[in-house]
Amino acid sequence: MDTLVRPFSDDTIAQAARLILAGEPVAVPTETVYGLAADATNAQAVAQIYEAKGRPSFNPLIVHVPSLDEARWIATLGPRSMELAREHWPGPLTIVAPLRPDSAIASLVTAGLPTVALRVPAHRAIRALLQAVARPLAAPSANVSGAISPTRAEHVLKSLGGRIPFIVDDGPCPGGIESTIISEADGELRLLRRGPIEVDGAIPAPAGKIEAPGQLASHYAPSKPLRLNATSAEADEYLVGFGPVEGDSNLSPSGDLVEAAARLFDLLHEADSSTSPKIAVAPVPDEGLGAAINDRLQRAAAPR
């Protein structure tokens, strides 16, 4: 299969929409990372996502919709989830909520769970695509399952070239780290995945149970061994620095966590493509957005 890459435009979105309505997956940028989008109401289309990514069937997908109203047609949001949705949508927040019995979402999207993960994205490309197809879009990150998440079209092409038909290229993703995921039960918020948005009062979910995307112990992984909290590189390592730890590249020389989040996967791709057989990453403060960055790094470094 040839994978076409086209710059964002009305014609590009129209072409992408035609492919999605024909049951094909298409890569498209969001404000977090590039997603591999398919019609969430078409089980065969969703299966194409799993096949392209080599994704475990027990790992559910995030469904992207254009508005809160559309989300409420699909799931029943609790009162605290509704407050968060009104505050942060469109944006990098995913809410896991009970699936409505009359929802048209394919069961493959939820991996057989009674809940569904929903997000209203802010990026112009996926919003244009949602409008063009008038369908909810299942859209996990556009990469081979477990590999480094893509923040540029070239990352998608390197990972999924020949596996998918089309990539909408709208430059680098501004956020660079996946959405925060929360759920609500009995009025209590649970944090299922750390991300750009900090949710006050959310209790971290216990480990071991897959309830949402991004909860696998090993995830976001490069092909090379990864060592964390390195203040200097060994002879066989490519060092990704942070702040005063310079390295071969640097997440943020000034120690800016927003810049570091935006550059994280970009630099892991760079390190993975280097001639060094191993990768090391400098310490990142485990506070605020740094906690989300460290969550991704710990999963990337986990044994596979």
Side-chain angles (χ1 to χ4, degrees):
M1 177 188 298
D2 291 330
T3 301
L4 298 178
V5 183
R6 295 289 183 266
F8 175 80
S9 68
D10 290 344
D11 287 344
T12 295
I13 291 298
Q15 188 173 357
R18 286 193 293 271
L19 286 166
I20 284 179
L21 293 174
E24 298 286 345
V26 168
V28 60
T30 76
E31 67 271 28
T32 56
V33 300
Y34 272 70
L36 185 58
D39 180 356
T41 67
N42 182 336
Q44 290 186 333
V46 175
Q48 297 284 344
I49 293 177
Y50 282 99
E51 183 176 11
K53 286 177 62 68
R55 189 181 181 89
S57 61
F58 53 79
N59 202 8
L61 308 178
I62 294 175
V63 175
H64 295 70
V65 292
S67 69
L68 173 56
D69 287 342
E70 294 284 341
R72 295 177 69 186
W73 281 106
I74 295 171
T76 303
L77 275 63
R80 298 192 67 185
S81 296
M82 285 289 294
E83 291 176 7
L84 288 170
R86 291 190 176 105
E87 182 179 357
H88 295 292
W89 280 353
L93 175 71
T94 295
I95 297 174
V96 175
L99 188 68
R100 287 173 57 99
D102 56 349
S103 168
I105 299 300
S107 60
L108 191 58
V109 171
T110 65
L113 297 173
T115 55
V116 62
L118 292 168
R119 183 161 92 86
V120 177
H123 196 284
R124 66 174 184 173
I126 192 167
R127 291 192 65 81
L129 190 55
L130 283 164
Q131 182 178 3
V133 298
R135 306 277 178 87
L137 294 176
S141 56
N143 57 289
V144 170
S145 186
I148 308 169
S149 296
T151 56
R152 297 173 182 270
E154 51 262 40
H155 298 163
V156 180
L157 187 62
K158 180 179 179 182
S159 187
L160 296 180
R163 297 187 182 203
I164 62 173
F166 200 75
I167 301 171
V168 178
D169 184 357
D170 199 16
C173 299
I177 196 167
E178 292 89 347
S179 61
T180 301
I181 304 181
I182 63 100
S183 67
E184 180 180 350
D186 300 322
E188 180 179 87
L189 293 176
R190 298 168 69 243
L191 180 64
L192 304 182
R193 182 175 73 183
R194 294 183 181 275
I197 293 174
E198 293 187 66
V199 179
D200 292 337
I203 301 170
K209 183 180 180 182
I210 302 299
E211 299 179 66
Q215 289 188 297
L216 293 175
S218 177
H219 207 52
Y220 317 108
S223 63
K224 301 174 180 179
L226 178 62
R227 181 169 68 95
L228 304 182
N229 299 314
T231 56
S232 62
E234 302 292 340
D236 58 352
E237 290 178 332
Y238 180 106
L239 177 60
V240 178
F242 177 80
V245 180
E246 293 185 358
D248 298 285
S249 59
N250 198 298
L251 291 167
S252 174
S254 66
D256 184 329
L257 291 173
V258 174
E259 181 184 18
R263 289 170 55 80
L264 175 62
F265 292 126
D266 224 1
L267 296 192
L268 285 179
H269 276 286
E270 187 175 306
D272 210 28
S273 298
S274 74
T275 56
S276 300
K278 298 179 181 178
I279 302 170
V281 181
V284 176
D286 199 40
E287 57 189 29
L289 194 53
I293 294 171
N294 283 321
D295 171 78
R296 302 309 191 277
L297 287 172
Q298 287 158 12
R299 294 176 192 273
R304 283 167 278 170

